C-alpha cells in the first residue's frame, strides 16, 4: 500500500546526542515536510523539500538538519543544538501542485532523558 | 501573513449531539486552499476535506459537513450525531503559495471528546 512510514515510533535521546528520524514515502511525491507538534501549539514547520537535493528552512529550523538524496526519503536529524527537542514529530508529503492535500506519517515521539 | 485560528481548545459532547468546530483564517492571497485534518490517538493526521477559495459551496459527507464563508473568513466543521469514534484532535489548515513553499499553515487544533 502507498503511504508514508516514519521510524522509530518512540525515540529516547540523551542530552548532547544527535538522533535521526526516518521518513520514507512511496507515493511518488516531490514535496516532503517535517513538522513538530507540541501540546497546544499545533504543527510548526521545521524543514521542507520540494525536489531532490534541495531543501529549505521552515519556521523553527534551528537545531535541526535534513537531507534529500532520494525522492522517497527525507530524514531529520535533531542535533545537540536543539535545546528542547522533546516533542512529537510528523513527516508529510504531497504532490507539488498546491491544490492537493498532504499525507502524513504516524509520527515519532522523541523524549530527552 | 498566513494565520489560522481555532479558538476552541477543547470541546466535550455527549454521544449523538451535534458539534461545530470553528476555524477562522487570515491570508492576503486571492487564491488559497483550506483543509481539515483529524488526529486520532494514534497520532497520524487523516485528511478530511479540501476547499478552494473560489468554491464557496458547502459540503456534506455523511455525518460531516463544512461551511465555508469568505465574508467572515471562516471554514467551520460540523459533526452531526457525534460518536465516540469522533473523539480526536481536529486541525484546520490553510494552503498558500505566497512564499513559493507550498506549505500548510495549521491552527492549534481542537480536542473533541465524545462521551458515551
Amino acid at each position: 500500500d502507498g503511504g508514508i512510514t516514519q521510524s522509530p515510533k518512540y525515540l529516547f535521546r540523551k542530552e548532547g546526542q544527535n538522533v535521526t528520524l526516518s521518513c520514507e514515502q512511496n507515493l511518488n511525491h516531490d514535496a516532503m515536510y517535517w513538522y513538530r507538534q507540541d501540546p497546544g501549539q499545533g504543527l510548526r514547520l521545521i524543514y521542507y523539500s520540494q525536489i531532490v537535493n534541495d531543501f529549505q528552512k521552515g519556521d523553527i529550523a534551528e537545531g535541526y538538519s535534513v537531507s534529500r538524496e532520494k525522492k522517497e526519503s527525507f530524514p531529520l536529524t535533531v542535533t545537540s543544538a536543539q535545546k528542547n527537542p522533546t516533542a512529537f514529530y510528523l513527516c508529510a508529503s504531497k504532490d507539488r501542485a498546491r491544490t492537493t492535500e498532504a499525507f502524513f506519517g504516524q509520527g515519532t515521539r522523541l523524549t530527552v532523558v | 501573513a498566513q494565520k489560522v485560528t481555532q479558538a476552541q481548545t477543547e470541546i466535550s459532547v455527549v454521544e449523538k449531539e451535534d458539534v461545530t468546530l470553528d476555524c477562522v483564517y487570515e491570508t492576503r492571497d486571492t487564491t488559497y486552499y483550506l483543509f481539515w485534518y483529524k488526529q486520532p490517538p494514534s497520532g497520524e493526521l487523516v485528511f478530511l476535506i479540501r476547499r478552494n477559495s473560489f468554491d464557496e459551496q458547502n459540503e456534506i459527507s455523511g455525518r460531516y459537513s463544512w461551511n465555508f464563508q469568505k465574508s467572515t473568513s471562516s471554514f467551520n466543521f460540523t459533526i452531526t450525531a457525534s460518536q465516540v469514534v469522533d473523539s480526536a484532535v481536529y486541525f484546520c489548515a490553510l494552503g498558500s503559495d505566497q512564499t513559493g513553499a507550498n506549505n500548510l499553515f495549521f491552527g492549534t487544533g481542537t480536542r473533541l471528546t465524545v462521551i458515551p
Side-chain angles (χ1 to χ4, degrees):
Chain A
D1 285 354
I4 300 178
T5 302
Q6 288 186 243
S7 62
K9 189 171 183 179
Y10 298 96
L11 186 58
F12 297 90
R13 189 196 93 168
K14 294 182 180 179
E15 288 195 19
Q17 276 185 339
N18 292 354
V19 291
T20 298
L21 284 59
S22 171
C23 178
E24 303 277 334
Q25 56 99 358
N26 60 5
L27 300 167
N28 200 34
H29 286 163
D30 286 310
M32 297 187 73
Y33 306 81
W34 274 105
Y35 291 91
R36 170 177 170 146
Q37 184 178 13
D38 294 283
Q41 294 195 45
L43 277 68
R44 294 182 291 169
L45 182 65
I46 304 172
Y47 267 97
Y48 62 95
S49 169
Q50 301 289 304
I51 56 173
V52 175
N53 293 323
D54 184 62
F55 50 83
Q56 304 295 329
K57 293 181 179 180
D59 300 321
I60 56 167
E62 184 175 353
Y64 300 97
S65 65
V66 294
S67 63
R68 188 83 186 278
E69 297 176 1
K70 298 187 300 181
K71 187 175 184 178
E72 302 79 17
S73 179
F74 191 42
L76 173 73
T77 297
V78 184
T79 75
S80 57
Q82 171 50 240
K83 298 306 179 187
N84 184 22
T86 295
F88 189 58
Y89 292 86
L90 284 159
C91 179
S93 72
K94 67 190 296 290
D95 186 277
R96 289 186 71 185
R98 58 186 174 179
T99 56
T100 62
E101 66 274 18
F103 293 83
F104 285 81
Q106 291 197 316
T108 294
R109 188 166 299 279
L110 173 63
T111 303
V112 174
V113 297
Chain B
Q2 319 293 317
K3 186 178 180 181
V4 176
T5 301
Q6 295 180 257
Q8 305 152 307
T9 305
E10 296 190 29
I11 300 176
S12 292
V13 298
V14 176
E15 198 171 20
K16 298 184 182 178
E17 286 184 346
D18 299 346
V19 58
T20 295
L21 309 182
D22 297 333
C23 174
V24 175
Y25 62 91
E26 295 177 27
T27 180
R28 295 177 183 168
D29 285 1
T30 54
T31 301
Y32 52 89
Y33 311 88
L34 296 164
F35 304 81
W36 274 97
Y37 283 86
K38 174 182 179 180
Q39 186 179 39
S42 61
E44 179 180 357
L45 266 70
V46 178
F47 167 75
L48 296 178
I49 190 172
R50 174 185 69 245
R51 220 44 176 162
N52 301 329
S53 56
F54 44 86
D55 181 3
E56 286 193 72
Q57 283 190 342
N58 293 326
E59 185 160 338
I60 298 174
S61 177
R63 296 184 297 107
Y64 295 170
S65 63
W66 291 268
N67 184 353
F68 178 27
Q69 292 195 343
K70 288 181 74 171
S71 60
T72 57
S73 297
S74 65
F75 186 45
N76 297 337
F77 173 30
T78 297
I79 302 174
T80 303
S82 59
Q83 299 176 2
V84 173
V85 293
D86 296 326
S87 296
V89 180
Y90 290 86
F91 289 96
C92 180
L94 170 67
S96 171
D97 200 34
Q98 184 183 38
T99 63
N102 202 10
N103 299 330
L104 295 180
F105 297 87
F106 285 84
T108 52
T110 297
R111 180 177 298 278
L112 173 65
T113 301
V114 181
I115 303 166

